[in-house]
Amino acid sequence: MSGFASLRLIVSAALLGAAFHPMPSAAQGAAQSVTLGPSGLPLPRFVSLKSGRVNSRIGPGVNYSVNWMYLKAGLPMEIVQEYDTWRKVRDAEGSEGWINQSLLSGKRTAMVAPWQRGKDAEIKLLGDPDKGAGVVALVDPGVIGTIKSCTGDWCEMTLGGHTGWINQSLLWGAYPGEKIKD
């Protein structure tokens, strides 16, 4: 049997299986995918750096070497693992390391479209959570702001002294569909 024919069989079987076993709704999928870490908090989750000078280590402890030093307080980080008082975090560029929980804050911040950095792009901060709303400010990719709230589609943020709404899909620091109240 050719590779193309076997691929058609696999796709047909998958479609037939999907017809008899419907996919769970988004709400059910979200509820099933929540994993709690040893702290009792969900993994993964977003936090921010408390200090303007934070060491990221290759392992969970001060005896492990420093692989990165972060110099920006408020930088959003994603906690992906926990061990004792140490949190394995990921930054917007995908770099991972271990940071002591005392250097992390539950204050929610987000980076605007880090994947657009270096490109000629400006993101609109709007007066209301609506694509047709008036523009409050134009924001460069990579700018960090404080999240006030998120509806699941839009986040109200303060960026450089301006407060407004930005499409949640343009942020690194809030999950798609996540609702946040400050």
Side-chain angles (χ1 to χ4, degrees):
M1 186 182 301
S2 75
F4 181 69
S6 62
L7 178 60
R8 278 194 347 218
L9 277 173
I10 292 169
V11 170
S12 297
L15 290 173
L16 187 59
F20 290 106
H21 300 287
M23 300 296 271
S25 72
Q28 289 171 330
Q32 291 173 351
S33 64
V34 173
T35 303
L36 297 181
S39 67
L41 297 171
L43 288 176
R45 68 181 179 275
F46 281 104
V47 295
S48 60
L49 297 181
K50 275 186 188 177
S51 172
R53 188 178 172 104
V54 175
N55 289 332
S56 171
R57 298 180 177 275
I58 63 170
V62 293
N63 294 331
Y64 289 93
S65 63
V66 173
N67 63 344
W68 196 257
M69 181 184 292
Y70 293 100
L71 301 173
K72 176 81 175 148
L75 186 68
M77 302 297 269
E78 182 180 31
I79 295 178
V80 296
Q81 191 176 344
E82 298 177 343
Y83 178 78
D84 194 26
T85 61
W86 293 85
R87 304 296 179 254
K88 187 173 188 181
V89 298
R90 180 182 303 131
D91 66 21
E93 295 177 0
S95 298
E96 293 184 351
W98 291 87
I99 296 177
N100 191 282
Q101 70 177 7
S102 65
L103 298 171
L104 300 170
S105 169
K107 179 180 175 185
R108 295 295 294 269
T109 63
M111 186 178 293
V112 177
W115 51 90
Q116 294 287 331
R117 276 190 283 199
K119 297 179 183 174
D120 189 26
E122 288 183 324
I123 311 299
K124 295 176 182 175
L125 184 66
L126 304 173
D128 292 301
D130 183 308
K131 287 182 182 181
V135 176
V136 173
L138 295 174
V139 182
D140 290 326
V143 170
I144 297 169
T146 303
I147 296 176
K148 294 181 77 171
S149 66
C150 291
T151 66
D153 294 316
W154 294 89
C155 290
E156 185 179 19
M157 296 188 64
T158 301
L159 295 152
H162 300 282
T163 299
W165 294 86
I166 193 163
N167 192 298
Q168 198 159 331
S169 66
L170 296 173
L171 299 176
W172 193 87
Y175 296 110
E178 181 183 17
K179 295 182 180 182
I180 300 170
K181 292 183 180 175
D182 188 22

